[in-house]
Amino acid sequence: MSLKPLHDRVLVQRLEGEEKTKGGIIIPDTAKEKPMQAKVVAVGPGKGKAKMTVKKGDMVLIGKYAGNEFKVDGKELVILREEDIRAVIEK
């Protein structure tokens, strides 16, 4: 299925969190925090005359509870406004 966000919305996929601590303790799924790093999957056209500053493939930082989460084709995705993106990670 293909999704195209509207207006100033961005579709992202959160990156997987750590499975173990540095000491070697395995973290169960129920105790894991939501990862803040995500990959941009799709970008809307922008709102009004304002153009979007992120593009597909960008790595970004988002808030733990930002946006709305849902599943499509077995993938967990988040849709949020561009203003909810905290930063773009540059390589």
Side-chain angles (χ1 to χ4, degrees):
M1 178 184 298
S2 178
L3 295 174
K4 177 73 173 164
L6 300 175
H7 308 295
D8 62 340
R9 304 262 198 259
V10 179
L11 188 65
V12 299
Q13 183 173 11
R14 289 184 190 268
L15 300 181
E16 293 297 319
E18 292 291 325
E19 298 290 325
K20 289 184 183 180
T21 64
K22 290 181 182 178
I25 299 172
I26 297 174
I27 303 170
D29 289 338
T30 56
K32 288 182 187 175
E33 288 190 15
K34 292 183 180 183
M36 295 177 66
Q37 291 186 3
K39 182 176 181 179
V40 176
V41 176
V43 178
K47 194 170 187 178
K49 293 182 181 180
K51 293 191 178 186
M52 301 294 276
T53 56
V54 295
K55 60 186 179 304
K56 183 177 178 178
D58 281 350
M59 299 301 290
V60 295
L61 290 178
I62 61 174
K64 290 181 187 177
Y65 304 104
N68 297 11
E69 297 179 354
F70 58 96
K71 278 190 175 183
V72 174
D73 297 333
K75 294 181 182 179
E76 292 187 24
L77 302 172
V78 179
I79 192 161
L80 50 106
R81 292 186 182 274
E82 185 183 33
E83 65 190 28
D84 292 334
I85 294 175
R86 306 292 187 241
V88 175
I89 301 170
E90 296 181 354
K91 296 177 184 177

